[in-house]
Amino acid sequence: MMKTTMVIFLMLVFAIGCENTENHNREISTKELSETINSRMHEYAIALESLDTSRVAPFYVESGKFTSYFDGQRMTRKSLLEAIENLSSNLVSFKAEWDTIEVTKLGDRAALAAASFNRTYTDTAGVIINDWGTASWIWVYEDDQWRLIHGHAVHYPNE
């Protein structure tokens, strides 16, 4: 009896383990992926607006994998976080708003998000600066969360 109980228990543990693995690796629908990436983009905007690199950094994959191009300038994870840190010392507020975010499924663990954006900065002297642009981001599912592996943005001053 004890042997049978142990075998049944081990079979249940194995079955539950397989189910969790299956759910973790399951195919994600395009609609679900779009909703997830839109949500992550909203969270990312909030983190950027805080100008707090400790809130922004977790959105990027580890250093050696992340790259970005902003107005033609290549940036690594480190240089981008340094730029955000420099902004925080010169600004009192920062607001980013994205238009409709278009999400393209690149696979079950990768997606492209693209949108135009508007930004408003207020510097320490009280000067308000507005600009707009277009951007794209590649999100990958890594370490049990969606993170950015690449970004690209072009900024234009408002006229």
Side-chain angles (χ1 to χ4, degrees):
M1 180 70 175
M2 176 82 154
K3 213 175 197 182
T4 304
T5 304
M6 182 59 95
V7 169
I8 292 172
F9 173 75
L10 291 174
M11 287 174 62
L12 284 171
V13 169
F14 179 74
I16 291 168
C18 287
E19 182 179 332
N20 288 339
T21 301
E22 188 177 302
N23 285 339
H24 180 69
N25 292 324
R26 71 180 173 76
E27 184 175 328
I28 187 169
S29 73
T30 301
K31 180 181 179 199
E32 183 181 358
L33 179 65
S34 182
E35 290 169 355
T36 299
I37 297 302
N38 270 284
S39 176
R40 288 296 284 163
M41 288 292 294
H42 176 72
E43 294 165 4
Y44 180 53
I46 291 169
L48 285 172
E49 289 171 0
S50 76
L51 297 171
D52 179 352
T53 56
S54 69
R55 290 182 61 189
V56 176
F59 283 90
Y60 306 130
V61 296
E62 293 306 313
S63 296
K65 298 178 187 178
F66 178 83
T67 59
S68 62
Y69 287 87
F70 293 103
D71 299 321
Q73 180 182 356
R74 184 181 189 281
M75 300 181 87
T76 63
R77 181 181 194 264
K78 180 181 177 188
S79 62
L80 181 57
L81 291 171
E82 287 171 352
I84 293 168
E85 186 71 31
N86 290 337
L87 273 177
S88 69
S89 63
N90 297 315
L91 299 177
V92 292
S93 72
F94 171 67
K95 179 74 176 164
E97 295 177 347
W98 288 304
D99 292 334
T100 302
I101 300 168
E102 297 175 27
V103 177
T104 303
K105 183 177 179 178
L106 302 176
D108 290 334
R109 294 179 167 266
L112 168 67
S116 56
F117 60 85
N118 291 292
R119 300 184 311 174
T120 303
Y121 304 86
T122 305
D123 69 14
T124 53
V127 176
I128 297 172
I129 303 160
N130 295 298
D131 68 5
W132 67 279
T134 56
S136 58
W137 304 265
I138 296 178
W139 291 85
V140 293
Y141 191 78
E142 183 175 286
D143 299 328
D144 294 327
Q145 61 183 317
W146 286 96
R147 294 180 178 205
L148 290 164
I149 194 165
H150 182 77
H152 177 264
V154 179
H155 303 84
Y156 305 99
N158 280 345
E159 295 180 18

